[in-house]
Amino acid sequence: MSQVTTKENLSLLESDFLKTLMYFDIFSYPLTLKEIFACSTVKEASLPQYYELADSLAEKGWIYQHDRFYGFSPDPEDVNRRKKGNLLARKMLQRAYWISRFIASFPFVRGVFLSGSISKNFMTTESDIDFFIVTKPGRLWIARTMLVMFKKVFLLNSHKYFCVNYFVDLNHLEIEEKTVLLPLNWFI
């Protein structure tokens, strides 16, 4: 009789590895081992341990490897989609940089960051460039109004390259909604 795998008989490292892949699998986004390792909550783990674990999990048929990416799907299309999305995001980063500098020139704006798919180094042809804006304390609404009015009047309400979707002020920086972030230097 085959052994049923439960949460109780998974090692901490296996559980951590699989949870990371499960999170990104929601977005059909396979990961490299370095990216999985970067998300690890098991601080005692080493990258070589992750390589051994990946081989073991792939051998069991729990995960699949395509090129240098790992995921739950045996279909390599997710890898192709990711590579195309990473390439498009890299192309759009230059434009995002210039738009960020422009947004930073507005009164009361104290910081401009990327959010949305481009912040994860991934875009599709339908993606827009999302910005996260930090304002001077007590000036969030006036800064937001000015940026939204600029977009509506001068950009004809275009969302493609100028989507200001998050605003916080320097005294209220925490956002309740959180996602897993990878350091940009781990991306292709």
Side-chain angles (χ1 to χ4, degrees), residues 76-94:
E77 186 50 40
D78 286 345
V79 171
N80 294 331
R81 180 181 163 275
R82 178 193 163 154
K83 286 179 177 179
K84 289 176 188 171
N86 292 154
L87 182 62
L88 183 57
R90 275 197 301 278
K91 289 179 182 177
M92 295 300 281
L93 276 174
Q94 187 65 30

Side-chain angles (χ1 to χ4, degrees), residues 96 100 103-104 109-116 118-119 129-135 163-166 168 170 173:
S100 295
I103 293 170
V109 172
R110 296 297 180 257
V112 181
F113 302 91
L114 294 175
S115 64
I118 195 170
S119 71
I129 301 175
D130 297 308
F131 294 96
F132 181 107
I133 314 296
V134 180
T135 69
C163 186
V164 286
N165 63 345
Y166 278 110
V168 295
L170 284 170
L173 294 173

